[in-house]
Amino acid sequence: MTGLSERAAALVTSEPLMAHLATSVDDRPHVAPVWFDYAADRGVFEVLTSGRKLDNVRENPRVALSIQKDKRGQAQWKVTVLGTATVVADDDAVRDATRRINRKYGAEESAWPENELVRISVGTATVSEY
């Protein structure tokens, strides 16, 4: 599979939602919320991160990403992705992603300059609607 199905892409781009990025190093899981953007034309998720998540990606690029829409505490749908993460070293790409993702979530375009760009290529994806 390259990227998400049309249905999954429509769900994850419908509004600003939190995703949970799961990383692992030394056989220990680490899950943390992240802001994200999905680039359908490239079939990749982009997240900006630092700290433990970034260190884990560098050690083990296999990750999972979970995005869920709730309404009053009741799940409406979820998209779960298993993929491979890459830390992007291109300064222009990092600036563009920082502006785009921060704007999406209502933050100043230059907020959190310490974050680095991670792209997640979709290996498999599942969609559940409730």
Side-chain angles (χ1 to χ4, degrees):
M1 169 184 247
T2 301
L4 298 179
S5 68
E6 285 185 31
R7 179 64 182 151
L11 290 171
V12 302
T13 58
S14 63
E15 62 185 290
L17 296 167
M18 295 300 294
H20 286 87
L21 176 63
T23 61
S24 176
V25 69
D26 297 330
D27 291 328
R28 295 187 58 95
H30 180 262
V31 178
V34 293
W35 290 349
F36 72 93
D37 191 42
Y38 178 66
D41 59 330
R42 290 174 286 154
V44 297
F45 283 89
E46 293 184 326
V47 300
L48 297 163
T49 192
S50 61
R52 169 54 82 194
K53 295 180 296 292
L54 190 61
D55 292 343
N56 288 354
V57 164
R58 286 187 167 123
E59 288 285 322
N60 180 352
R62 293 176 299 175
V63 300
L65 195 68
S66 175
I67 304 153
Q68 181 172 306
K69 166 72 176 183
D70 295 323
K71 190 174 190 178
R72 296 184 192 174
Q74 300 297 312
Q76 302 299 297
W77 58 261
K78 72 175 178 177
V79 174
T80 304
V81 173
L82 300 178
T84 304
T86 304
V87 179
V88 177
D90 179 320
D91 289 340
D92 291 336
V94 173
R95 274 191 298 276
D96 176 58
T98 299
R99 279 190 226 106
R100 189 171 10 89
I101 293 171
N102 285 355
R103 188 180 319 130
K104 174 180 175 180
Y105 289 91
E108 291 292 325
E109 290 184 7
S110 60
W112 299 287
E114 70 279 6
N115 281 344
E116 295 190 44
L117 175 60
V118 173
R119 286 192 179 133
I120 300 167
S121 298
V122 177
T124 61
T126 56
V127 177
S128 298
E129 296 186 66
Y130 307 100

